[in-house]
């Protein structure tokens, strides 16, 4: 369990995945990941979050919490 200054963040049971149909490419999760594992990549005419190195994910849950539209699924 980690904190982000705004309260307690629940860790997640598995490495999160991006729901590419929902993702708006806002970049909040990119900024939230303490290990910089998430990047924005071009997907057709838009950008979409991609977890580039899932093997390094600590499942801290910060990216999941940062996504306002629940496009990151634990
Ligand atoms: S769960 Fe934590 S370590 Fe894993 S991608 Fe999200 S913010 Fe990064
Ligand atoms: S915070 Fe959510 S909507 Fe924004 S880029 Fe990440 S997954 Fe996509």
């Amino acid at each position: 369990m980690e904190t982000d200054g705004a309260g307690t963040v629940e860790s997640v049971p598995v490495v999160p995945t991006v729901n590419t149909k929902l993702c708006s490419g806002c970049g909040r999760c990119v900024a939230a990941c303490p290990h910089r594992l998430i990047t924005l990549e071009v997907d057709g005419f838009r950008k979409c979050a991609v977890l580039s190195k899932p093997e390094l994910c600590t499942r801290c849950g910060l990216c999941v919490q940062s996504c306002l539209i629940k496009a990151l699924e634990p």
Side-chain angles (χ1 to χ4, degrees):
M1 207 174 272
E2 300 188 22
T3 60
D4 65 355
T8 303
V9 178
E10 291 286 335
S11 59
V12 288
V14 296
V15 174
T17 55
V18 179
N19 183 329
T20 57
K21 291 179 181 171
L22 284 180
C23 177
S24 67
C26 72
R28 286 177 59 92
C29 59
V30 176
C33 180
H35 307 293
R36 297 288 181 258
L37 303 181
I38 306 175
T39 56
L40 288 182
E41 297 190 6
V42 175
D43 178 19
F45 294 104
R46 65 195 184 106
K47 288 187 175 180
C48 186
V50 174
L51 182 55
S52 55
K53 294 180 181 173
E55 69 275 15
L56 298 180
C57 174
T58 60
R59 297 183 281 110
C60 68
L62 288 168
C63 59
V64 174
Q65 188 191 56
S66 76
C67 184
L68 302 178
I69 58 172
K70 308 287 185 209
L72 269 163
E73 300 165 335

